[in-house]
Amino acid sequence: MLLVHKPQHRKPDTAATTYNTVLDTPAIPPQSRQARFNELISIYMDDLYRYAYWLTHDRSVADDLVQETMVRAWKSFDKLNDHKAVKGWLITILRRENARRFERYQPKQSAIPTEELAARKEEYDTSTEAFVLRRALERLPEDYREPLLLQVIHGYSQKEIAAQLGISSAGAGTRLFRARQKLRELLQ
């Protein structure tokens, strides 16, 4: 006959401990929650700061990231099921906070019109290669030179070039292909 040991269930002292009825675990009193949070966080604070500094390369931004991480961690501390996974949980929060920093970033727009940007460049390439390339471009037929310059110098797409020249997109692609082909021949 096989004997199986059954643990005896003791009733908790209800005056001393309150239990969470869903999980049958002791509910954390508010003052104990803060102490537990502080205890867990203090263990990983240096790691968090090092990681934040590694991400940002700026001490003040790293401090801000760690602070934001602490605020988010405090708000969702009750959702943390496995207290052994605290470090990974905190690192994930910090990484997401860093990503949020860039979501909020709005680059400043320059007041300089785009037409003037190219005009401000004052240097002129006088190398032999630049001279040979300019000569080869001048010898290209106008039908090929114009779409090539629109693409390479001005950055237009094939569709935009087609719209500007009043031709089909396939026609613009053909002209660009032939322009490169002829330019290669001229440069050999």
Side-chain angles (χ1 to χ4, degrees):
M1 179 173 167
L2 181 66
L3 295 174
V4 178
H5 176 69
K6 290 186 178 181
Q8 293 180 345
H9 292 287
R10 292 183 5 186
K11 287 189 176 183
D13 182 10
T14 55
T17 309
T18 59
Y19 276 76
N20 181 336
T21 56
V22 176
L23 300 174
D24 288 330
T25 57
I28 302 171
Q31 71 277 9
S32 173
R33 178 182 187 265
Q34 184 174 357
R36 195 169 188 176
F37 178 79
N38 289 340
E39 179 184 328
L40 287 173
I41 296 306
S42 66
I43 295 169
Y44 300 110
M45 188 60 79
D46 290 339
D47 292 336
L48 284 175
Y49 181 77
R50 272 194 299 276
Y51 184 59
Y53 184 72
W54 179 80
L55 285 173
T56 63
H57 303 290
D58 184 340
R59 291 185 193 285
S60 62
V61 175
D63 285 335
D64 291 344
L65 271 178
V66 171
Q67 285 294 344
E68 289 297 320
T69 300
M70 293 301 110
V71 169
R72 286 204 184 262
W74 173 254
K75 287 179 182 177
S76 60
F77 185 63
D78 294 330
K79 296 176 186 174
L80 180 64
N81 295 328
D82 184 9
H83 291 290
K84 295 175 186 171
V86 172
K87 184 176 182 180
W89 178 66
L90 290 170
I91 293 290
T92 300
I93 294 172
L94 188 129
R95 191 177 61 247
R96 288 181 180 160
E97 277 303 308
N98 187 49
R100 280 187 196 92
R101 192 170 60 102
F102 292 105
E103 288 173 358
R104 295 183 294 252
Y105 175 72
Q106 296 293 323
K108 295 178 185 175
Q109 293 190 1
S110 174
I112 302 170
T114 54
E115 296 81 27
E116 292 181 20
L117 289 176
R120 289 185 178 216
K121 187 175 180 179
E122 296 176 7
E123 64 184 61
Y124 186 75
D125 192 355
T126 58
S127 67
T128 305
E129 293 86 9
F131 178 75
V132 170
L133 182 60
R134 278 201 257 348
R135 291 289 292 248
L137 283 170
E138 288 171 3
R139 292 186 0 214
L140 269 179
E142 181 69 26
D143 287 347
Y144 298 141
R145 183 177 347 123
E146 189 173 6
L148 185 64
L149 291 176
L150 284 172
Q151 185 181 50
V152 175
I153 303 297
H154 299 289
Y156 289 112
S157 69
Q158 185 173 323
K159 287 182 181 180
E160 293 170 329
I161 293 169
Q164 280 194 7
L165 298 178
I167 59 175
S168 69
S169 181
T174 302
R175 287 187 187 183
L176 287 167
F177 175 77
R178 289 184 181 157
R180 286 190 200 93
Q181 198 174 35
K182 288 195 178 287
L183 191 61
R184 275 189 214 104
E185 290 171 7
L186 290 170
L187 291 173
Q188 289 181 351

